[in-house]
Amino acid sequence: MKRIMLLLTIFGAVLASSCEGPPGFDGIQGPPGPSGPSGSASEVFELRNVNFSLNANNEYTIYRQLNPVILLSDNILIYRLSGTIDPQTPIWQLIPRTLYLQQGELDYDFDFSLEDFTIYAGGTYNLATTPSYLNNQTFRIVILQGYLSNKKGGVAIEDYNAVMAAYHIDASHIKSIK
């Protein structure tokens, strides 16, 4: 008798736990997740045809403020347009970058904070003798949100197109800054 009661109790518990009631009401819409205008969490800005300026420290620089400012965990990659294969196929080089020219070495580098970034040009010779490397330069600034920054282990960040694909950045939403 005890065994029959035990089996009926187990059967009843299994039967009761497998029942399902009517679905509840949908909750309110939550806030949007992190995403830029292209649906990705990263953004790209372009500085087109800008010139380096010689500052008081005898350094060639391009300085811009970020608006809006970035988060402490965000990261920035900067690429320089080094040429084109054809009008639709630009060649982007990740900086920092050293170019070995006939006159000597030319280095492009950058730093950034939450509020701004500076691109530097320096070298082992008088850079004024090669104005084509200082004037009418084009750069792309890729801002990667902090939670994506650690993803770059599987992405060849030297390859601008690979970065754009890996972070799902739509090239049609690149913003131009002056």
Side-chain angles (χ1 to χ4, degrees), residues 22-88:
F25 295 103
D26 289 338
I28 61 170
Q29 179 70 33
S35 73
S38 65
S40 80
S42 299
E43 292 184 271
V44 179
F45 298 93
E46 183 171 273
L47 287 171
R48 184 176 294 161
N49 298 323
V50 294
N51 298 330
F52 282 89
S53 299
L54 189 61
N55 66 19
N57 297 329
N58 206 27
E59 300 171 318
Y60 285 97
T61 62
I62 296 171
Y63 171 83
R64 295 293 187 275
Q65 290 186 326
L66 295 169
N67 186 13
V69 299
I70 63 174
L71 300 175
L72 185 59
S73 59
D74 291 349
N75 200 358
I76 290 182
L77 301 174
I78 298 183
Y79 297 85
R80 177 182 162 267
L81 180 65
S82 64
T84 57
I85 294 173
D86 57 53
Q88 287 77 37

Side-chain angles (χ1 to χ4, degrees), residues 8-31:
L8 286 175
T9 304
I10 292 172
F11 177 74
V14 169
L15 183 64
S17 68
S18 64
C19 292
E20 189 175 311
F25 295 103
D26 289 338
I28 61 170
Q29 179 70 33

